[in-house]
Amino acid sequence: MTITLDRNTRRSRRVMNVAVVMALLPCVALGAVLRLPGITQPQESWPGTVPAAVACVALLRARDRPRAVAAVAMACAVATFAQGYLPTPLMLAPLMLALYWVAAGTDRRTTRVFGLASMAVVVIAAMLDNPNGNLLLLRTVGPVLWLLLPLVGGSHARLRVVYMESVHARAAYAERTREEEARLRVAEERMRIARELHDVVAHHLAVANAQAGTARHLVPTRPEQALRLLDELTVTTSSALIELRATVGVLRHSGDQDGESLEPAPGLDRLPDLVSTYASAGLDVAVTTEGAPRPLSPGVDLTAYRIIQEALTNVTKHGAGQGADVRLNYGRSRLLISVTNDATATATATATTTATAPAAAGGYGLMGMRERAHSVGGDLRAGPRPQGGFEVSTALPLHSLAPEELEAAP
C-alpha cells in the first residue's frame, strides 16, 4: 500500500512539472517578442527563447536538484539579458521558479547565496547592453523585486513543512508517551493488586494454619480450648473471604451506584483487631506507641497497616519465638514503625530462617513491604538483629508524597 502511494505521488509530481514547463514556454516566448516604445531589443525572438527554453526543461529536476537547476537558470538568464532583452517577469519566470525550489528545499544560507547571486548577475547582464541608462529602474530595481517574491514564497513553504513535521513529531511522541504511560499504569495496578492479594492470603492463611495446628494438639487434652480455636478459625477464614471479595470487587466494580458498597481499606485503627487475631494463633504481640498519634493520609494508613500485617505474618510462619513487639513512633513529619521478633532461645537459627525463608519463596513478602513503603515516599529495612531475632523497620511520611516529590526523593 505504501509503495503504491509513493508511485502515485512521484507520477503526480512528474505530471505537474511537465505542466508547469509547458505553461512557462509560451510565457517566455511572449516575453521575447514583447516590445516597448523607445527601447531597442533584438529583432529575432529565438536568441532569447532558446536559453529560456533550456532553463524551462531543467526545471523538470528542480525538486530533486534545486541548486544545479538554479545555476542553469542563472546562466540562461545571463545569456538572454546580455543580448539586450528587457528583464520582464515573463523572461524571469524560469529563474523565479528555480529560486522558489531553492528556498523551499534548502537551508537559509543556500537560499541567501543563490538569491543574491541571481539578483547580481541579472542586473549586471541587463546593464551591459544599456550604455545610455534607459529604463534604469526597470533593469535594476525591477529584477530585484521580482526575484524576491519566489525567495519569500519558498522560505514560507519550507517553514510550513518544518512546522508540519514538528507537529507530526509531537503528535507521534504524545501517542507513544500515552501508550507507554498506559502500559506503566497497567503494570503498577497489577503490582498493587498482587500486593493486596498477597497480604490478604498470606496473613489469613498463616493465622489459620497456626490456629488449626494448635487446635489439633489441644484436642486430646483440652477439647474445650480446641473448639474455641476452631471457632476462631472460622472467623479467620470468613475474614479472608471478605477481604478477598472486597479486593476482587475493586476489579469488577464499574462505578454503578446500584452495586454493593465495598469495605473501606484497613488502617491503624484496626490494629487491635489484627493483634487479637494473631493472639488467637498463639502469638503474643505487644504494641507500644510513642508520641501523640497524628492523622495519616489514607495511603500511608493502609501502607502502615499492611507492613505490620506482613511482618507479623512472617513472624508466625518463620519466627522461632512466641512473641513480637510492634513500636509506633509519631514524629513531626514521619511515622517510624518497627516490628521485632525476640527469639532469645534460638537467636541464630531464627535470624537465619527468617532472613532466608522469604528469599526461598520468591521474596514477595519483603519485596511487597518495600514497594508499599516506596510508593508513599517512605523507606523500609529488614534483617536479623544483633541480639537475636528479626526486625522490620520503616519510616513513612504522615502524608503521601506527590509523584514529582517521589521522583525528587532519594
Side-chain angles (χ1 to χ4, degrees), residues 18-38:
V18 172
V20 170
V21 170
M22 297 302 294
L24 283 180
L25 287 175
C27 295
V28 172
L30 179 60
V33 300
L34 186 63
R35 298 291 186 271
L36 293 179

mmCIF file of all heavy atoms in Angstrom, residues 18-38:
data_model
loop_
_atom_site.group_PDB
_atom_site.id
_atom_site.type_symbol
_atom_site.label_atom_id
_atom_site.label_comp_id
_atom_site.label_asym_id
_atom_site.label_seq_id
_atom_site.Cartn_x
_atom_site.Cartn_y
_atom_site.Cartn_z
ATOM 1 N N VAL A 18 5.812 18.732 -15.726
ATOM 2 C CA VAL A 18 5.654 18.881 -17.177
ATOM 3 C C VAL A 18 4.625 19.956 -17.496
ATOM 4 O O VAL A 18 4.812 20.777 -18.420
ATOM 5 C CB VAL A 18 5.251 17.529 -17.805
ATOM 6 C CG1 VAL A 18 4.897 17.716 -19.282
ATOM 7 C CG2 VAL A 18 6.382 16.514 -17.654
ATOM 8 N N ALA A 19 3.541 20.003 -16.724
ATOM 9 C CA ALA A 19 2.515 21.019 -16.966
ATOM 10 C C ALA A 19 3.062 22.427 -16.724
ATOM 11 O O ALA A 19 2.767 23.371 -17.471
ATOM 12 C CB ALA A 19 1.307 20.754 -16.057
ATOM 13 N N VAL A 20 3.888 22.574 -15.679
ATOM 14 C CA VAL A 20 4.473 23.885 -15.397
ATOM 15 C C VAL A 20 5.419 24.311 -16.524
ATOM 16 O O VAL A 20 5.416 25.477 -16.961
ATOM 17 C CB VAL A 20 5.210 23.853 -14.044
ATOM 18 C CG1 VAL A 20 6.030 25.117 -13.839
ATOM 19 C CG2 VAL A 20 4.219 23.694 -12.902
ATOM 20 N N VAL A 21 6.230 23.372 -17.019
ATOM 21 C CA VAL A 21 7.158 23.699 -18.105
ATOM 22 C C VAL A 21 6.396 24.085 -19.369
ATOM 23 O O VAL A 21 6.742 25.058 -20.065
ATOM 24 C CB VAL A 21 8.102 22.511 -18.353
ATOM 25 C CG1 VAL A 21 8.916 22.730 -19.636
ATOM 26 C CG2 VAL A 21 9.029 22.314 -17.161
ATOM 27 N N MET A 22 5.354 23.354 -19.676
ATOM 28 C CA MET A 22 4.556 23.672 -20.853
ATOM 29 C C MET A 22 3.868 25.029 -20.727
ATOM 30 O O MET A 22 3.624 25.717 -21.733
ATOM 31 C CB MET A 22 3.510 22.576 -21.075
ATOM 32 C CG MET A 22 4.102 21.210 -21.375
ATOM 33 S SD MET A 22 5.162 21.212 -22.844
ATOM 34 C CE MET A 22 3.925 21.559 -24.105
ATOM 35 N N ALA A 23 3.558 25.425 -19.505
ATOM 36 C CA ALA A 23 2.945 26.741 -19.299
ATOM 37 C C ALA A 23 3.978 27.860 -19.357
ATOM 38 O O ALA A 23 3.659 28.997 -19.751
ATOM 39 C CB ALA A 23 2.217 26.761 -17.960
ATOM 40 N N LEU A 24 5.221 27.565 -18.942
ATOM 41 C CA LEU A 24 6.253 28.602 -18.947
ATOM 42 C C LEU A 24 6.777 28.907 -20.351
ATOM 43 O O LEU A 24 7.170 30.045 -20.633
ATOM 44 C CB LEU A 24 7.424 28.176 -18.054
ATOM 45 C CG LEU A 24 7.222 28.296 -16.541
ATOM 46 C CD1 LEU A 24 8.462 27.827 -15.810
ATOM 47 C CD2 LEU A 24 6.898 29.719 -16.145
ATOM 48 N N LEU A 25 6.809 27.917 -21.226
ATOM 49 C CA LEU A 25 7.360 28.146 -22.570
ATOM 50 C C LEU A 25 6.610 29.243 -23.329
ATOM 51 O O LEU A 25 7.245 30.134 -23.913
ATOM 52 C CB LEU A 25 7.352 26.835 -23.351
ATOM 53 C CG LEU A 25 8.404 25.802 -22.927
ATOM 54 C CD1 LEU A 25 8.222 24.493 -23.690
ATOM 55 C CD2 LEU A 25 9.806 26.353 -23.128
ATOM 56 N N PRO A 26 5.267 29.285 -23.363
ATOM 57 C CA PRO A 26 4.585 30.408 -24.022
ATOM 58 C C PRO A 26 4.877 31.743 -23.358
ATOM 59 O O PRO A 26 4.981 32.775 -24.053
ATOM 60 C CB PRO A 26 3.101 30.031 -23.921
ATOM 61 C CG PRO A 26 3.087 28.554 -23.729
ATOM 62 C CD PRO A 26 4.315 28.244 -22.951
ATOM 63 N N CYS A 27 5.013 31.726 -22.017
ATOM 64 C CA CYS A 27 5.318 32.987 -21.324
ATOM 65 C C CYS A 27 6.679 33.519 -21.751
ATOM 66 O O CYS A 27 6.853 34.726 -21.981
ATOM 67 C CB CYS A 27 5.281 32.767 -19.805
ATOM 68 S SG CYS A 27 3.659 32.322 -19.149
ATOM 69 N N VAL A 28 7.668 32.642 -21.846
ATOM 70 C CA VAL A 28 8.999 33.062 -22.264
ATOM 71 C C VAL A 28 8.976 33.572 -23.700
ATOM 72 O O VAL A 28 9.603 34.593 -24.050
ATOM 73 C CB VAL A 28 9.989 31.898 -22.099
ATOM 74 C CG1 VAL A 28 11.335 32.259 -22.709
ATOM 75 C CG2 VAL A 28 10.167 31.539 -20.621
ATOM 76 N N ALA A 29 8.261 32.851 -24.560
ATOM 77 C CA ALA A 29 8.171 33.284 -25.960
ATOM 78 C C ALA A 29 7.501 34.643 -26.082
ATOM 79 O O ALA A 29 7.924 35.504 -26.878
ATOM 80 C CB ALA A 29 7.405 32.243 -26.772
ATOM 81 N N LEU A 30 6.453 34.874 -25.294
ATOM 82 C CA LEU A 30 5.786 36.167 -25.307
ATOM 83 C C LEU A 30 6.717 37.267 -24.805
ATOM 84 O O LEU A 30 6.742 38.384 -25.340
ATOM 85 C CB LEU A 30 4.521 36.107 -24.453
ATOM 86 C CG LEU A 30 3.704 37.400 -24.336
ATOM 87 C CD1 LEU A 30 3.229 37.860 -25.705
ATOM 88 C CD2 LEU A 30 2.540 37.207 -23.372
ATOM 89 N N GLY A 31 7.514 36.983 -23.768
ATOM 90 C CA GLY A 31 8.446 37.972 -23.265
ATOM 91 C C GLY A 31 9.536 38.322 -24.258
ATOM 92 O O GLY A 31 10.043 39.451 -24.281
ATOM 93 N N ALA A 32 9.915 37.357 -25.115
ATOM 94 C CA ALA A 32 10.964 37.617 -26.104
ATOM 95 C C ALA A 32 10.471 38.503 -27.241
ATOM 96 O O ALA A 32 11.254 39.283 -27.811
ATOM 97 C CB ALA A 32 11.484 36.293 -26.658
ATOM 98 N N VAL A 33 9.195 38.425 -27.578
ATOM 99 C CA VAL A 33 8.660 39.238 -28.682
ATOM 100 C C VAL A 33 8.043 40.538 -28.190
ATOM 101 O O VAL A 33 7.647 41.381 -29.011
ATOM 102 C CB VAL A 33 7.598 38.438 -29.473
ATOM 103 C CG1 VAL A 33 8.194 37.166 -30.056
ATOM 104 C CG2 VAL A 33 6.411 38.083 -28.594
ATOM 105 N N LEU A 34 7.986 40.727 -26.878
ATOM 106 C CA LEU A 34 7.374 41.945 -26.346
ATOM 107 C C LEU A 34 8.276 43.141 -26.624
ATOM 108 O O LEU A 34 9.483 43.102 -26.365
ATOM 109 C CB LEU A 34 7.138 41.798 -24.834
ATOM 110 C CG LEU A 34 6.371 42.922 -24.147
ATOM 111 C CD1 LEU A 34 4.949 43.021 -24.696
ATOM 112 C CD2 LEU A 34 6.333 42.702 -22.640
ATOM 113 N N ARG A 35 7.697 44.243 -27.147
ATOM 114 C CA ARG A 35 8.451 45.450 -27.462
ATOM 115 C C ARG A 35 7.836 46.627 -26.730
ATOM 116 O O ARG A 35 6.612 46.747 -26.621
ATOM 117 C CB ARG A 35 8.437 45.729 -28.971
ATOM 118 C CG ARG A 35 9.081 44.632 -29.833
ATOM 119 C CD ARG A 35 10.587 44.598 -29.608
ATOM 120 N NE ARG A 35 11.230 43.654 -30.519
ATOM 121 C CZ ARG A 35 11.412 42.369 -30.236
ATOM 122 N NH1 ARG A 35 10.999 41.889 -29.063
ATOM 123 N NH2 ARG A 35 12.018 41.576 -31.097
ATOM 124 N N LEU A 36 8.701 47.490 -26.227
ATOM 125 C CA LEU A 36 8.261 48.727 -25.598
ATOM 126 C C LEU A 36 8.708 49.904 -26.462
ATOM 127 O O LEU A 36 9.809 49.869 -27.057
ATOM 128 C CB LEU A 36 8.855 48.859 -24.184
ATOM 129 C CG LEU A 36 8.367 47.852 -23.141
ATOM 130 C CD1 LEU A 36 9.067 48.098 -21.814
ATOM 131 C CD2 LEU A 36 6.860 47.912 -22.962
ATOM 132 N N PRO A 37 7.902 50.973 -26.539
ATOM 133 C CA PRO A 37 8.277 52.139 -27.350
ATOM 134 C C PRO A 37 9.580 52.763 -26.858
ATOM 135 O O PRO A 37 9.776 52.974 -25.652
ATOM 136 C CB PRO A 37 7.098 53.091 -27.169
ATOM 137 C CG PRO A 37 5.955 52.226 -26.743
ATOM 138 C CD PRO A 37 6.549 51.121 -25.950
ATOM 139 N N GLY A 38 10.480 53.042 -27.757
ATOM 140 C CA GLY A 38 11.742 53.698 -27.424
ATOM 141 C C GLY A 38 12.808 52.773 -26.900
ATOM 142 O O GLY A 38 13.888 53.226 -26.532
#
